[in-house]
DNA sequence: GGTGAAACGTAGGCCGT
DNA sequence: ACGGCCTACGTTTCACC
């Protein structure tokens, strides 16, 4: 490649009001524009224009409802370190494709260290996790090493 | 303890429509009730009643805007395994208290395995992370072992 | 669970700064 | 380029069936 693939603007210019808007929308993604405008000290129309601009610029990627894992049938969470046996682009792509299709995989991070990937797995229970472990991870030819860390609790969790 | 501390209803009874509602709201937390009702095949009022019930039951814990880390000044993410030198309740509570006050710590999970905790750290850059590593983690008397895994990319990330 | 109507919020044109 | 005002339009919300 001749230039760096994508030199994107890493931090959009955000003033104090923008930051307050983002803070409020992180806290309550369904706040009405009227209430939001009030909280940040702007008129509704000015506020709405800023929110629209933040969405358009990709600063706000979307809005999501935060669900209770226990109450939606997720009783088992684990982080899993996965090492591949080949460090080729093909092996990585094949593995990532498999992860993207597995519903138990909520996150797949490419990390530094002795293994390549860190996964967050959410399943109904230990049996469902075992199924994923053996039937999915265990059958992928690229996978070399699997280490599971079962989540016993999360004293802090500010996941978006 | 004489009985299990809290036997809560682990999975609220959710029918197919409830699951569809949750799925839609996870995808787009700002969908209008009208559009949501349409998608799940209910009248707006019936749909709204279900959403309100799901919120009240705690199945829906809230709504949040999903922000772009790069565009909000977060250029560095890492997972950190932390081992304590004492397995006492006091040591854990002190550590968890410290984590809850550290803004760089977005998640703190209590895990099984050779160490006690897995943290997700978000910072502006490597320098900011180094500061956290030495000035915060490094000064806690309970902390015994620290292993950092820097996130190079996240091919999949469905963090609520 | 559906209907309807009043209350409320949104979105866009327009003007002032 | 950005904020405030106004208003037609859409959405939410509630009592009632």
């Amino acid at each position: 490649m001749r230039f760096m693939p994508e030199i994107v603007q890493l931090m959009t210019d955000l003033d104090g009001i923008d930051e307050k808007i983002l803070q409020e929308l992180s806290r309550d993604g369904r706040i009405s524009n009227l209430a939001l405008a009030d909280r940040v000290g702007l008129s509704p129309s000015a506020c709405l224009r800023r929110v629209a601009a933040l969405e358009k610029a990709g600063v706000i990627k979307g809005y999501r409802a935060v669900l209770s894992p226990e109450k939606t049938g997720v009783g088992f969470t684990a982080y899993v370190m996965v090492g591949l046996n080949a460090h080729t682009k093909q092996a990585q792509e094949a593995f990532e494709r498999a992860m993207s299709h597995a519903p138990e995989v909520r996150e797949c991070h490419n990390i530094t260290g002795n293994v390549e990937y860190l996964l967050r797995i959410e399943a109904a229970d230990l049996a469902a996790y075992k199924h994923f472990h053996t039937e999915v991870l265990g059958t992928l030819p690229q996978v070399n090493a699997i280490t599971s860390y079962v989540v016993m609790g999360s004293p802090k969790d500010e996941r978006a």
Side-chain angles (χ1 to χ4, degrees), chain A:
Chain A
M1 69 194 89
R2 303 194 294 164
F3 295 99
M4 294 294 284
E6 309 147 83
I7 301 282
V8 288
Q9 189 172 5
L10 286 180
M11 190 178 356
T12 321
D13 293 329
L14 303 174
D15 64 12
I17 294 180
D18 285 323
E19 289 186 8
K20 198 137 191 354
I21 288 174
L22 295 176
Q23 187 190 314
E24 290 298 330
L25 286 175
S26 296
R27 201 185 44 78
D28 177 7
R30 283 205 104 163
I31 189 173
S32 81
N33 183 56
L34 229 52
L36 180 61
D38 200 64
R39 276 172 172 276
V40 304
L42 236 51
S43 74
S45 64
C47 183
L48 188 64
R49 272 195 294 259
R50 275 176 182 261
V51 172
L54 289 168
E55 288 171 354
K56 197 175 173 190
V59 180
I60 297 172
K61 288 168 52 176
Y63 301 89
R64 288 188 172 182
V66 181
L67 308 183
S68 161
E70 316 89 58
K71 296 186 181 173
T72 50
V74 175
F76 184 93
T77 304
Y79 281 88
V80 181
M81 298 247 182
V82 178
L84 304 190
N85 48 27
H87 295 180
T88 63
K89 196 176 172 187
Q90 286 78 6
Q92 295 206 4
E93 281 173 355
F95 177 74
E96 291 175 13
R97 214 171 312 118
M99 293 305 99
S100 74
H101 293 138
E104 299 92 344
V105 178
R106 300 282 301 178
E107 304 172 31
C108 173
H109 305 288
N110 197 203
I111 57 171
T112 63
N114 47 338
V115 295
E116 282 78 28
Y117 291 99
L118 178 64
L119 313 176
R120 180 187 169 96
I121 308 297
E122 292 183 7
D125 51 30
L126 181 59
Y129 175 67
K130 179 184 159 63
H131 178 266
F132 169 78
H133 188 279
T134 56
E135 299 298 320
V136 182
L137 281 186
T139 59
L140 288 171
Q142 306 87 16
V143 172
N144 189 33
I146 305 173
T147 311
S148 301
Y149 299 93
V150 178
V151 174
M152 294 187 288
S154 298
K156 185 172 187 177
D157 193 345
E158 296 178 351
R159 281 177 302 139

